[in-house]
C-alpha cells in the first residue's frame, strides 16, 4: 500500500484565474487545467529563479516529486501554447497558511490570516473560496 500523498505548500495564489489566446471566444476553446502546485513550481523556478532542491523544500515535497510537478506544468503550458487552448489555474492537493478568496463582485483577490465573510476591497459578501 503506498504512503499517503503529502500536501504541497503554496505560498500565495496566482493573481489571475487563467489565460486565453487572443481573438478566440472562450466558448470555442478547450481548457487545459494547470493545478495550483504546478503554477507554484513554475513560479518558484522560472520566476523566482530557485533551484529545484530549494523550491522542493519550499513546497514541502521531495526533489523528485517537485521535478514531476514541474515537468507536468511545462507540458500543460506547452500544449496550451501549441494547440491554442485556454489555461485555467485551479485545483490540486495543497495547503497554505492563509485563506484565499476571489470576490465575485470586484474580481479582486483577498488573502487573509483568518476566514472572511466580506470582500476587503468592496465589502461585498459574495466571495469564492480558492483553498
Amino acid at each position: 500500500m503506498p504512503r499517503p500523498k503529502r500536501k504541497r505548500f503554496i505560498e500565495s495564489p496566482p493573481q489571475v484565474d487563467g489565460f486565453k489566446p487572443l481573438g478566440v471566444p472562450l466558448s470555442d476553446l478547450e481548457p487545459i487545467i494547470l493545478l495550483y502546485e504546478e503554477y507554484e513550481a513554475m513560479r518558484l523556478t522560472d520566476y523566482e529563479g530557485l533551484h529545484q532542491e530549494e523550491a522542493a523544500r519550499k513546497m514541502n515535497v521531495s526533489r523528485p516529486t517537485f521535478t514531476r510537478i514541474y515537468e507536468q506544468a511545462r507540458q500543460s503550458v506547452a500544449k496550451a501554447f501549441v494547440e491554442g487552448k485556454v489555461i485555467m489555474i485551479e485545483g490540486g492537493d495543497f495547503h497554505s497558511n492563509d485563506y484565499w478568496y476571489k470576490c465575485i463582485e470586484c474580481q479582486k483577490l483577498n488573502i487573509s490570516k483568518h476566514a472572511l465573510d466580506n470582500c476587503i476591497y468592496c465589502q461585498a459578501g459574495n466571495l469564492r473560496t480558492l483553498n
Side-chain angles (χ1 to χ4, degrees), residues 56-126:
R57 272 195 301 276
K58 283 190 143 211
M59 287 184 64
N60 196 29
V61 296
S62 69
R63 206 250 342 121
T65 297
F66 180 86
T67 299
R68 283 191 298 275
I69 294 168
Y70 180 68
E71 287 301 316
Q72 180 58 49
R74 289 182 57 227
Q75 287 176 354
S76 295
V77 170
K79 184 174 184 173
F81 282 178
V82 171
E83 296 178 13
K85 297 183 179 197
V86 66
I87 300 171
M88 300 300 297
I89 306 170
E90 60 186 40
D93 194 16
F94 68 95
H95 72 94
S96 175
N97 290 337
D98 301 316
Y99 293 90
W100 304 347
Y101 302 96
K102 183 79 167 211
C103 179
I104 302 302
E105 303 299 321
C106 71
Q107 295 296 308
K108 291 195 176 176
L109 184 63
N110 289 249
I111 302 173
S112 174
K113 293 287 183 198
H114 58 280
L116 296 176
D117 292 322
N118 296 322
C119 176
I120 59 178
Y121 301 100
C122 71
Q123 304 306 313
N126 200 359

